[in-house]
Amino acid sequence: MDKIVIEGGHRLEGKIRINGAKNAALPIMAACLLLHGPSRIKGIPNIVDIRTQIRILENLGGEIQHLEDGSLEIIFRDGENKEKITAPYDLVRKMRASVCVLGPLLSKRGKAKVSYPGGCVIGQRPIDLHLKGLKALGSDIETTEGYVIASASRLKGTRISLKGQYGTTVLGTSNVMSAAVLAEGTTIIDDAACEPEVQDLAHFLNKAGARISGIGSNTLTIEGVKELHGVDYEIIPDRIEAGTFMIAGAITKGEIIMENVRNDHLTATIEKLREIGVEITTNGKHTTVKSNNKYRPADITTTPYPGLPTDMQAQFMALLCTVPGKSVITEKIFPDRFIHSAELRRMGADIQVNVPCATINGTPSLSGTHVMVSDLRAGAGLVLAGLVAKGTTHIHRIYHLDRGYEQIEKRLSQLGANITRVKE
Ligand code: EPU
């Protein structure tokens, strides 16, 4: 196993290009199951979750190739793979997002057998809303031996609400929308997620011949079509990676110029950083994060898009731990997603957690020590804290980070961080 070692205290400066969005790429790759003919998708990041998704799709008969221009070509041959309907436990346990093959498989092959994804350290993560939506479209669903088995001869359009206890569901919306595009008649999804990654999937499907309207709103209308064709498509930039690098610039009081950023997808993150005192400017092509100011503490609440993303919560926590004064974080999506606070405390942070809130009394300096990553974004928060901590921070279990950030240590060291990956 590898670990990351950081000598804190180096100001970050320079240019960085943001990769395509992991959470857009995963369901779009799964949606290729629905298409007739090859698709070439640009901007897919080279990270472990994508490699897991490739294995899942190959297992389902997908032919997947890396092309010279960096795009991924994905082909499913109709008729040849009808009996391949299983996403096995071994692969699904590695990545909960693999559940996004459920809707496309059911729709295209009439049956899907997908290992029931378990909970994880960020929370319970049930899939009841996914199943409710697929049932409403006319499928039979049973759960046996840890697998969800869904079947239907032809799905039928209907009106469905995907509202749950914590708002709507991102991957649930993707699953139901993907299933509905080839259904008979019209489907209306109320309380749909409108995250940019869901919008990207809808744009991809429309380019392939689907008829989805209301994209970007909480009501999606999908008129079923008979067939979809392969397309060339470019994935949106990763707003969470961009937000993470913004905080890397902010926490080190550096200056980072970022390329391939959709600021319109980052409105809540940028507004909150500005409230804290971080300067963020854009000239249309580049976004610059610059930070000479004294920072202010802030109160943060994570909510569905266009609110502040839960996937930025750990990174904001790291930043606020270094800002003197009291900040409060309220986590409205995954109320238990605070495991990183215990590791930040080991670095000298003063954080009290009272679910779903964390109260931070910022201290001017954290100190390096050994810390452990519990999930992808927790890992990002610990790396950010390590960049400013006094002394050396050793970050263990970084396989979580590799799931979602491509070569994070290389890219941060190009910006001036003293960070290396070493074998344990
Ligand atoms: N929920 C239910 N029932 C369901 C589905 C979800 O109650 O059937 C609850 C969840 O327990 C949670 C809330 O609804 O409290 C939102 O969960 P959601 O389904 O939206 O999460 P997800 O689709 O499984 C995606 C991202 C996550 C991100 C969340 C929230 C992907 C691959 N994953 O997960 O990203 O945190 O949306 O925005 O798109 C990450 O990238 O690190 C990550 C965890």
Side-chain angles (χ1 to χ4, degrees), residues 14 32 57 63 138 153 176-177 200 251 310 329-330 345 380:
C32 289
L57 296 181
E63 294 165 30
S153 46
V176 177
M177 176 169 69
D200 210 31
I251 205 167
T310 173
I329 297 181
T330 307
R345 250 184 249 128

Side-chain angles (χ1 to χ4, degrees), residues 22-24 26-27 49 95-100 120 122-131 164-173 193 195 197 239-240 303-305 309-311 332-335 337 375-377 403:
K22 161 181 91 79
N23 291 348
L26 293 170
D49 273 7
M95 183 184 69
R96 197 191 169 282
S98 41
V99 73
C100 63
C120 66
I122 71 172
Q124 292 281 328
R125 309 197 76 183
I127 56 164
D128 56 311
L129 297 169
H130 303 229
L131 303 185
Q165 192 186 350
Y166 299 106
T168 181
T169 163
V170 172
L171 287 175
T173 303
E195 269 64 6
E197 296 76 17
R239 64 193 168 111
I240 306 301
T303 51
Y305 190 79
T310 173
D311 291 342
K332 289 249 175 123
I333 310 287
F334 295 110
R337 194 179 198 176
D375 77 274
L376 170 57
R377 308 304 172 186
R403 290 184 48 192

Side-chain angles (χ1 to χ4, degrees), residues 15-135:
K15 251 192 187 173
I16 180 114
R17 186 177 164 81
I18 298 304
N19 287 322
K22 161 181 91 79
N23 291 348
L26 293 170
I28 286 177
M29 289 168 71
C32 289
L33 273 157
L34 296 164
L35 314 187
H36 181 76
S39 287
R40 279 167 293 271
I41 307 168
K42 258 196 175 162
I44 294 192
N46 184 9
I47 50 176
V48 171
D49 273 7
I50 294 294
R51 296 198 277 278
T52 304
Q53 187 73 326
I54 290 175
R55 287 184 60 200
I56 288 169
L57 296 181
E58 283 176 342
N59 216 40
L60 295 168
E63 294 165 30
I64 300 171
Q65 271 195 64
H66 293 273
L67 303 181
E68 265 176 20
D69 68 352
S71 50
L72 210 61
E73 184 179 76
I74 305 182
I75 314 176
F76 283 92
R77 294 186 199 280
D78 289 352
E80 286 180 21
N81 300 300
K82 197 93 180 121
E83 75 298 342
K84 291 186 177 155
I85 54 153
T86 306
Y89 175 70
D90 245 17
L91 293 171
V92 175
R93 78 187 164 89
K94 292 199 167 108
M95 183 184 69
R96 197 191 169 282
S98 41
V99 73
C100 63
V101 298
L102 183 58
L105 261 182
L106 169 67
S107 165
K108 190 70 179 181
R109 300 192 179 163
K111 197 162 182 182
K113 183 177 173 192
V114 176
S115 177
Y116 211 104
C120 66
V121 292
I122 71 172
Q124 292 281 328
R125 309 197 76 183
I127 56 164
D128 56 311
L129 297 169
H130 303 229
L131 303 185
K132 175 186 161 195
L134 297 176
K135 263 187 204 157

Side-chain angles (χ1 to χ4, degrees), residues 333-348:
I333 310 287
F334 295 110
D336 296 315
R337 194 179 198 176
F338 286 122
I339 295 192
H340 43 280
S341 63
E343 302 301 301
L344 288 168
R345 250 184 249 128
R346 302 192 68 256
M347 298 177 76

Side-chain angles (χ1 to χ4, degrees), residues 21 195-197 237-244 265-266 305 307 309 312:
E195 269 64 6
E197 296 76 17
D238 195 315
R239 64 193 168 111
I240 306 301
E241 186 180 89
T244 303
H265 292 164
L266 279 146
Y305 190 79
M312 283 301 300

